[in-house]
Amino acid sequence: MDYQENKDKVEDDKPRLGGVSDLSVIEESEQMRANGDSYYPQSQERPQRSEEQLSNSHPARSLSPDKYADVEGLGRRTRSLSAVQIQGNNANNVIDEYPKMPRRSSLASGNRPRMQKHVSFSSSSDEKAIASAGDCIRAMQAGTDMIKIRSVTRHYKRTFVLDQDMASLTWKPSTKKAEKAFIKIIDIREVFKGQTTEIFRQLSKEDYSEDCSFSIIYGDKYESLDLVASSPDEANVWITGLRCLLSNRKRSAVRGSGFLIEEQVMSLVKQMAPHIKLDQIISKHKECSLSDGTMNRTQFLNFYKEITTRPEVYFILVRYASTGDFLTVGDLLTFLESEQEVTKLSKEECLGLIKRYEPTRRGRREGFLGLDGFIKYLLDQELFDSKHLKVCEDMDQPLSHYFIAASHNTYLLEDQLTGPSSVEAYKSALLSGCRCVEMDCWDGPNNEPVIYHGQSLTTKITFTSVLHAINEYAFVASEHPVILWIQNHCNPKQQQAMSRYLKEIFGDKLCTTFINGNRKVLPSPKALIRKIILKGKKLPVSLKESEGLVSDEECSSNIPDNTDKKKNKKDNSHSTRKHIKLIRQLSDLVDLKCVTFGGFLDVKENNRNYYETTSLEETLALKLSQASPDEFVTFNKNFLSRTFPAIKRVDSSNYNPQDFWNCGCQLVAMNYQTRGQMMDIHTGKFTQNGSCGYVLKPSILREDFSYFNPGSKESIPGVDPQILHIRIISGQNLPKPRGSGSKVNVVDPYVILQINGIPIDCAEERSKTIANNGFNPVFDESYEFLINLPEMAIVRFLVKDDEHIGDDFIGQFSIPLPCMKSGYRHLKLYDDTGELIPLATLFVHVTMIGKRAFGSYKRGMSLKKLKKTREYAQLKTVGIKSIDEIFKEAVKPLRNSADLRDNVQIAIAQFKEMCGLAPSSNMKQCIKYLTSRLKGSSQTFSLSITSNEGYPHLEAIGGVPEGYKKSITTFQSMIDEGRILLDSGPDLQERDELFSYISKESGVKNKKLMKVKDNYGWNIAVMKGQVELLIAAYQEFEVYIQQIHDVGNNSTAAKAV
């Protein structure tokens, strides 16, 4: 049976299966011995042959020698056999169709003259001659005694036999069970002549003759079976026979036309489904194929469907398919609008998607998307929003308004005590998007400064080599500025060399106009494109000498006490600090001045300069975040602060960067050389803005009149909490953990969902375990998380192996919440080194909705009842009468704004509930549900969408069922509430102007403002946030109105049958 016949019934665009119908076959050994003839498929007419032809015919023809090996490959094999002879025209001993081994010159020129070949391993005239590959096969089936080499000391005499089906090689006697003492021919990878393996190399040359030795390489792990025959001829019989079987397997099927061998199956499936891992195909192939590894047409189709059909995707497809198990253009458009949040997509664009993803010609021609095409489309729908692959945030803000990717002790490759230092560490950090690197500079030989971890056993690298690396790689991954922190421990002479090298190597890249007398805030990243900024110690402006003393203390590790008693003690101890000489030449190159942290009160009283920065050790930074979180946030709005891992982390482990981002710290330095959960979070964070090394902080962490306490359990004023709904559907091609000690490749995966953000948002959930399935485990579990500050949340998907030996980590993916796309998405997994795992993915469904309405709404609640229980954001008393009066006047309009927004959102929730849909569904899904109910109704009526003064109106004609009337009434209530909201639009701008009025007319500034800043900031944040939420609700309902109009324009009134 030809594999290609009736192909249109299955799929008219699948690649042809490698010329399967032209493949030659190997005859059953019994048939070979019976008539010595070749096998002809039933579809071919067997040619008539004369008695002379029959007598001269050779059993070797059953091996299809004209096709089983290419000329070059045959030459390579036969050249290794000492007894092979190429003879001219001996008609009684030739195989007409068997190609002779070409000479070396023939191979080079490409000439392949067909000659006749005779193979003889006979050493004497009275021995039975081995005249062909067929004779080799028969000799192997008869059995041969050989020595099996297991190790240097373990040598066993065994009888090796090729079974009658030519499917496996067995040996006996054996200490193994009979079912284990064999090797399948399909598992053999190569046959080597001589003593080429590691076991043979360990033997003495005198032990066995090399001409009698050969090795069989088999299995996925390329194990070796090392054998020694009693004579070179006997070894050559096995080498020739096995190579014949291997070569024939590669070019022909075993049982006749219409069968595929393993290599062909692997090639075809990889061509048609490249998203499936090869080892998964091999594993499934062993379950579905015949004992000899072949497949017929029906078996291959079933095998392909089983390995490529994902049931969880099929159920999604049939849910949206109007007819059959495929999506029409209209079906696909509905799916994209309902699930993927795609808007303004035309049918022509949908047809373009079908032509792009549908593999069959018929599907592309007739405009429908089958399951294979749908899977291919979904694999391209990544969870990460592609707009964040480029710089997408405002880069004109001051540097203090950004989180900046920073490295700690950048020069180290390993631990902090004895680890090697390397220039490669700088290259790696910069290429990964790091924008702040550290140089610990010390005196070196020959007046050449060196970099290493001082007072440790780490190795040293030269100052100049690091500068050259930074100069070359600074702006490869990102063009935004690089901050170079120089910890200077060098003498004045070597400082001169440092300043000279900095100017010579960096040239115009070195920033020298950072400090400006007219400037009050730090410059922006955009203003410093492709600039290198030096951070370090700096001489006072008032000092006129060419050098001066500065503190050698770069970092702060203790909370300063600002009481007078302690202050005097601190002043007395000031003289005991270690100081170093700093030359003016180097000082003038520094733009960001490092100063010791003296407490928040010290910052207020001493009028700190905008270009002064502070480095805080991990322990001190944590204490500040717990003792004075709001002051820490306020400090970081205007000044740069750097945190770094505690000194006790000698193993170069990392802290949780989220703890310090929550307080607005810009430079949260990490040990880039140490991968793990904390670096995963760090790496994920900076994907939010094109991996450029800069991420804009949320407004509450950078605006002057805003209040934020990261440790608070209360809702954040002006921020609408979000409900994040994640459904973990399935995984694909999950590998065995890298460090697993298990010998099997099967895993028992489970998924952990981690939410990292402000403390009130942090959460973790674990899925069930799927036993023995890393290929396509289906979890199908859903989780909900309340996110109070979405801009700071990072979601981490972690996949582990439940039945592990050693390491249980399979892969992970960390993504900022603002970068997540809604709908059905695939996310790619990364290994423990941060590298992408080929083809390993998770399939998820994500939705995110505002909590304000749906968080308090319960099934069946009325608006009247909800109004009685509604909670409003409260304004706080500032303590200044004029300001409190203004805030008091704002209370009523703020409540009205909240009512407008909540009434609309609750009306929408009630309508979706009436439709039986989740709060995350959109209007198009709701209208589609209503029209689908028409088709199932026993009463005859119609439904149309009309426009009434620009607002949609549902009109039902005929005998409308009672349940349907409720849906229409709920729909109309939703439209009415939204109309009130939209009509209030002109008042929004007036309320927004209230903020400017309060800020200008209050007269609160400087020290007086400091006393009331907390409550004042809270009130401003509440008022501004309420207006922003109202505007967002206004815009959201406008989108809903447009969706309803679109449905009305694209469909006619439905009629019940």
Side-chain angles (χ1 to χ4, degrees):
M1 179 182 68
D2 192 338
Y3 185 85
Q4 296 294 325
E5 71 178 359
N6 297 325
K7 60 183 179 181
D8 289 335
K9 294 181 181 179
V10 184
E11 190 173 358
D12 67 355
D13 198 33
K14 293 294 184 187
R16 288 185 61 83
L17 302 184
V20 177
S21 59
D22 295 329
L23 296 176
S24 56
V25 295
I26 298 180
E27 183 185 11
E28 297 272 358
S29 56
E30 291 294 334
Q31 186 178 4
M32 289 172 55
R33 283 196 292 269
N35 55 29
D37 204 351
S38 62
Y39 175 78
Y40 289 85
Q42 295 179 1
S43 59
Q44 299 178 12
E45 182 181 353
R46 180 167 175 164
Q48 300 297 317
R49 296 183 296 166
S50 64
E51 291 185 4
E52 181 180 358
Q53 287 175 318
L54 288 171
S55 63
N56 289 334
S57 65
H58 207 284
R61 283 181 182 165
S62 64
L63 301 173
S64 300
D66 61 326
K67 296 178 181 177
Y68 88 88
D70 59 278
V71 176
E72 184 176 1
L74 175 62
R76 183 174 61 254
R77 286 188 290 274
T78 54
R79 282 196 293 272
S80 65
L81 305 178
S82 58
V84 171
Q85 300 175 3
I86 307 298
Q87 302 184 2
N89 294 306
N90 188 343
N92 294 325
N93 296 303
V94 300
I95 305 173
D96 296 343
E97 300 168 352
Y98 207 82
K100 85 160 196 175
M101 179 186 74
R103 293 176 298 191
R104 197 174 296 271
S105 59
S106 299
L107 290 174
S109 63
N111 296 326
R112 298 191 177 189
R114 298 186 61 80
M115 297 185 64
Q116 298 162 332
K117 172 182 165 185
H118 177 75
V119 184
S120 175
F121 300 127
S122 176
S123 57
S124 62
S125 57
D126 58 342
E127 289 184 16
K128 182 178 179 180
I130 301 295
S132 69
D135 291 338
C136 293
I137 299 295
R138 280 190 285 275
M140 294 163 64
Q141 290 177 327
T144 304
D145 292 337
M146 290 185 284
I147 297 174
K148 179 184 176 185
I149 311 295
R150 292 288 302 275
S151 66
V152 176
T153 58
R154 300 167 66 188
H155 305 175
Y156 306 103
K157 187 175 182 181
R158 300 284 185 259
T159 300
F160 290 83
V161 180
L162 176 68
D163 71 357
Q164 296 303 304
D165 292 333
M166 294 176 287
S168 62
L169 171 64
T170 63
W171 59 89
K172 56 183 180 180
S174 173
T175 57
K176 294 183 177 180
K177 295 180 180 179
E179 61 268 17
K180 293 185 177 181
F182 73 94
I183 298 174
K184 289 184 178 180
I185 297 300
I186 62 173
D187 290 338
I188 297 177
R189 306 303 180 193
E190 189 56 86
V191 180
F192 293 122
K193 183 179 181 181
Q195 299 177 358
T196 59
T197 64
E198 186 63 30
I199 291 178
F200 270 132
R201 292 193 191 102
Q202 295 174 2
L203 300 178
S204 172
K205 292 290 185 183
E206 292 76 25
D207 289 347
Y208 299 105
S209 168
E210 185 161 357
D211 290 338
C212 298
S213 307
F214 65 99
S215 299
I216 300 172
I217 309 302
Y218 67 96
D220 295 336
K221 296 183 178 180
Y222 289 82
E223 301 173 80
S224 68
L225 175 64
D226 301 296
L227 304 174
V228 179
S230 59
S231 68
D233 283 352
E234 213 166 56
N236 285 328
V237 166
W238 278 85
I239 294 171
T240 302
L242 288 172
R243 286 177 171 171
C244 174
L245 290 173
L246 291 183
S247 181
N248 193 69
R249 188 188 74 202
K250 294 177 182 178
R251 290 186 172 268
S252 62
V254 176
R255 298 189 178 278
S257 176
F259 282 80
L260 291 174
I261 60 171
E262 181 179 0
E263 285 85 349
Q264 292 169 321
V265 172
M266 300 302 110
S267 176
L268 283 170
V269 176
K270 286 302 293 179
Q271 184 178 359
M272 294 186 289
H275 58 278
I276 301 178
K277 290 177 66 175
L278 184 60
D279 57 352
Q280 299 289 356
I281 304 174
I282 294 174
S283 176
K284 186 62 67 174
H285 177 270
K286 291 177 181 178
E287 300 175 13
C288 301
S289 61
L290 300 174
S291 60
D292 56 10
T294 61
M295 285 184 176
N296 61 26
R297 179 178 183 273
T298 302
Q299 288 170 324
F300 176 79
L301 288 177
N302 292 335
F303 164 73
Y304 181 79
K305 290 177 181 178
E306 184 172 350
I307 203 168
T308 58
T309 300
R310 290 170 49 184
E312 75 280 17
V313 177
Y314 178 76
F315 292 142
I316 298 170
L317 182 143
V318 296
R319 201 170 94 203
Y320 282 90
S322 55
T323 55
D325 53 1
F326 56 84
L327 297 177
T328 64
V329 172
D331 296 336
L332 180 59
L333 183 59
T334 301
F335 169 78
L336 295 176
E337 292 177 337
S338 301
E339 299 289 355
Q340 306 300 89
E341 291 193 347
V342 177
T343 58
K344 299 180 180 179
L345 191 70
S346 66
K347 290 189 176 182
E348 289 72 22
E349 290 171 314
C350 279
L351 186 58
L353 289 176
I354 291 175
K355 291 181 178 179
R356 176 181 175 185
Y357 290 105
E358 174 57 34
T360 67
R361 281 193 298 266
R362 180 185 173 191
R364 295 194 297 269
R365 182 175 62 250
E366 298 183 10
F368 62 79
L369 191 66
L371 181 59
D372 287 343
F374 191 51
I375 291 175
K376 187 177 178 183
Y377 163 78
L378 288 176
L379 283 169
D380 273 357
Q381 303 308 298
E382 296 189 13
L383 180 63
F384 190 87
D385 193 340
S386 59
K387 75 177 183 182
H388 291 277
L389 294 174
K390 299 179 181 179
V391 176
C392 57
E393 295 179 340
D394 179 12
M395 303 304 288
D396 275 326
Q397 303 276 342
L399 284 176
S400 58
H401 289 184
Y402 296 87
F403 297 119
I404 305 172
S407 167
H408 175 59
N409 290 349
T410 313
Y411 44 87
L412 291 178
L413 291 176
E414 295 176 8
D415 64 83
Q416 309 283 315
L417 295 179
T418 61
S421 304
S422 174
V423 172
E424 294 301 318
Y426 286 91
K427 296 178 182 178
S428 176
L430 291 169
L431 289 175
S432 66
C434 179
R435 297 290 88 188
C436 180
V437 295
E438 182 179 347
M439 298 175 68
D440 207 350
C441 305
W442 299 81
D443 293 335
N446 304 319
N447 199 35
E448 291 290 335
V450 294
I451 295 174
Y452 76 109
H453 199 206
Q455 302 175 351
S456 71
L457 299 178
T458 58
T459 59
K460 302 174 181 178
I461 52 179
T462 62
F463 182 77
T464 53
S465 65
V466 172
L467 292 190
H468 282 296
I470 294 173
N471 185 58
E472 183 177 356
Y473 292 93
F475 305 111
V476 174
S478 169
E479 63 177 1
H480 291 89
V482 170
I483 299 173
L484 179 55
W485 184 26
I486 297 180
Q487 292 194 71
N488 176 24
H489 307 283
C490 297
N491 61 44
K493 187 175 181 180
Q494 297 216 7
Q495 288 180 37
Q496 290 178 354
M498 290 169 59
S499 61
R500 184 176 70 253
Y501 291 142
L502 286 166
K503 289 185 284 189
E504 289 177 356
I505 295 174
F506 291 154
D508 294 339
K509 294 178 184 176
L510 191 62
C511 182
T512 56
T513 59
F514 196 90
I515 301 175
N516 189 318
N518 298 323
R519 185 182 293 276
K520 300 298 181 182
V521 296
L522 290 164
S524 69
K526 187 175 181 180
L528 298 170
I529 290 292
R530 302 188 68 84
K531 289 294 183 181
I532 296 175
I533 306 165
L534 297 189
K535 173 179 178 287
K537 290 295 184 180
K538 192 172 181 66
L539 293 174
V541 179
S542 58
L543 185 69
K544 303 302 181 184
E545 289 79 6
S546 60
E547 62 180 44
L549 291 176
V550 294
S551 172
D552 191 36
E553 184 180 341
E554 295 278 356
C555 309
S556 304
S557 57
N558 297 304
I559 296 181
D561 192 324
N562 292 299
T563 62
D564 293 339
K565 183 177 179 180
K566 294 289 184 178
K567 193 172 183 180
N568 293 332
K569 186 177 180 180
K570 184 182 75 170
D571 292 340
N572 292 334
S573 64
H574 181 77
S575 58
T576 63
R577 292 180 181 175
K578 184 179 178 182
H579 290 74
I580 62 169
K581 284 185 178 180
L582 177 63
I583 65 171
R584 173 67 64 184
Q585 190 177 356
L586 181 59
S587 174
D588 289 345
L589 298 179
V590 173
D591 281 321
L592 291 173
K593 181 181 179 180
C594 289
V595 297
T596 304
F597 182 67
F600 299 123
L601 184 59
D602 178 68
V603 173
K604 298 172 184 176
E605 292 178 347
N606 296 327
N607 197 20
R608 183 170 180 158
N609 294 311
Y610 68 89
Y611 55 82
E612 293 178 340
T613 69
T614 297
S615 288
L616 304 170
E617 195 253 5
E618 172 189 352
T619 307
L620 171 59
L622 282 174
K623 289 179 180 178
L624 291 174
S625 66
Q626 294 166 3
S628 307
D630 49 346
E631 289 186 288
F632 204 3
V633 169
T634 301
F635 172 80
N636 287 318
K637 290 178 181 179
N638 300 305
F639 305 106
L640 287 178
S641 65
R642 176 184 180 272
T643 64
F644 61 95
I647 299 173
K648 63 183 179 181
R649 294 183 183 271
V650 294
D651 58 349
S652 294
S653 60
N654 280 308
Y655 49 37
N656 188 346
Q658 193 74 52
D659 294 336
F660 307 115
W661 288 332
N662 291 341
C663 295
C665 296
Q666 299 86 358
L667 298 160
V668 181
M670 305 288 287
N671 287 308
Y672 269 60
Q673 71 271 33
T674 306
R675 297 299 309 184
Q677 178 180 352
M678 302 312 165
M679 267 309 289
D680 293 339
I681 295 172
H682 180 274
T683 303
K685 179 71 173 180
F686 287 97
T687 59
Q688 186 171 331
N689 193 27
S691 298
C692 73
Y694 289 82
V695 171
L696 187 64
K697 296 195 289 187
S699 59
I700 59 172
L701 289 177
R702 52 186 166 86
E703 293 182 351
D704 288 335
F705 295 110
S706 62
Y707 175 82
F708 175 63
N709 181 349
S712 175
K713 301 296 182 181
E714 299 178 2
S715 60
I716 301 168
V719 177
D720 187 18
Q722 298 289 304
I723 296 177
L724 174 65
H725 180 94
I726 299 179
R727 178 183 167 206
I728 305 293
I729 302 174
S730 63
Q732 293 76 43
N733 303 309
L734 304 179
K736 183 175 73 173
R738 182 194 297 270
S740 174
S742 175
K743 293 183 179 180
V744 298
N745 288 323
V746 179
V747 295
D748 298 343
Y750 65 95
V751 180
I752 296 176
L753 265 178
Q754 299 172 338
I755 307 296
N756 298 277
I758 60 175
I760 195 176
D761 289 345
C762 292
E764 182 173 303
E765 295 286 351
R766 182 195 191 279
S767 78
K768 62 185 177 185
T769 299
I770 305 299
N772 301 322
N773 188 354
F775 172 56
N776 188 34
V778 177
F779 303 97
D780 198 20
E781 293 189 336
S782 299
Y783 309 94
E784 274 192 359
F785 304 94
L786 176 61
I787 311 296
N788 289 277
L789 187 54
E791 291 175 281
M792 291 296 292
I794 298 174
V795 183
R796 185 169 186 252
F797 299 82
L798 176 63
V799 184
K800 288 190 171 185
D801 184 7
D802 209 2
E803 292 292 330
H804 64 280
I805 300 176
D807 187 16
D808 63 348
F809 178 89
I810 294 177
Q812 69 85 32
F813 180 75
S814 300
I815 177 173
L817 191 60
C819 298
M820 292 177 66
K821 297 184 73 173
S822 296
Y824 289 98
R825 305 290 172 183
H826 281 86
L827 59 93
K828 298 177 180 179
L829 295 176
Y830 291 80
D831 63 19
D832 52 2
T833 66
E835 296 296 322
L836 193 67
I837 304 174
L839 304 177
T841 58
L842 283 181
F843 184 41
V844 301
H845 183 267
V846 176
T847 56
M848 191 157 51
I849 56 176
K851 182 254 182 187
R852 192 160 302 277
F854 305 123
S856 58
Y857 175 72
K858 295 181 180 179
R859 187 179 182 86
M861 266 192 174
S862 65
L863 286 178
K864 185 176 180 180
K865 187 175 180 180
L866 279 169
K867 286 179 180 179
K868 291 181 179 180
T869 59
R870 183 172 296 162
E871 295 181 0
Y872 298 95
Q874 299 296 321
L875 298 181
K876 297 183 178 181
T877 301
V878 174
I880 299 176
K881 187 176 181 180
S882 59
I883 298 178
D884 286 334
E885 287 296 328
I886 297 174
F887 280 133
K888 189 175 181 180
E889 293 177 2
V891 171
K892 186 175 181 180
L894 285 176
R895 288 197 170 198
N896 292 338
S897 297
D899 287 340
L900 281 172
R901 185 184 71 256
D902 287 357
N903 290 347
V904 170
Q905 291 179 327
I906 291 169
I908 293 172
Q910 290 175 330
F911 177 61
K912 291 179 179 179
E913 179 189 298
M914 184 63 66
C915 293
L917 299 176
S920 56
S921 57
N922 60 36
M923 280 299 111
K924 289 192 176 182
Q925 289 172 296
C926 294
I927 301 301
K928 179 186 176 183
Y929 169 79
L930 290 179
T931 56
S932 66
R933 284 178 59 188
L934 285 173
K935 298 178 181 179
S937 175
S938 59
Q939 295 177 260
T940 302
F941 68 99
S942 63
L943 176 71
S944 63
I945 300 175
T946 61
S947 178
N948 182 11
E949 297 182 8
Y951 294 96
H953 176 72
L954 274 181
E955 184 176 348
I957 303 171
V960 182
E962 191 62 33
Y964 215 97
K965 288 180 180 179
K966 291 182 179 179
S967 299
I968 296 174
T969 302
T970 308
F971 174 85
Q972 203 57 51
S973 297
M974 176 187 69
I975 297 299
D976 292 341
E977 291 293 342
R979 187 169 185 170
I980 296 172
L981 171 66
L982 298 184
D983 290 344
S984 69
D987 296 333
L988 297 178
Q989 183 62 34
E990 296 175 10
R991 294 173 190 172
D992 195 35
E993 291 172 352
L994 178 62
F995 307 134
S996 301
Y997 173 75
I998 292 176
S999 301
K1000 292 177 182 179
E1001 301 299 327
S1002 63
V1004 179
K1005 56 180 77 172
N1006 299 332
K1007 292 184 179 180
K1008 197 171 183 181
L1009 178 61
M1010 294 176 189
K1011 296 178 182 179
V1012 298
K1013 67 179 181 63
D1014 286 353
N1015 289 352
Y1016 185 85
W1018 171 277
N1019 291 348
I1020 292 293
V1022 167
M1023 295 175 66
K1024 185 174 182 180
Q1026 289 295 322
V1027 171
E1028 289 177 349
L1029 293 175
L1030 188 57
I1031 294 174
Y1034 180 99
Q1035 295 171 341
E1036 180 184 27
F1037 197 78
E1038 281 187 321
V1039 172
Y1040 279 175
I1041 293 295
Q1042 187 59 50
Q1043 289 178 350
I1044 297 170
H1045 282 311
D1046 289 344
V1047 174
N1049 293 334
N1050 295 331
S1051 63
T1052 59
K1055 291 187 178 182
V1057 179

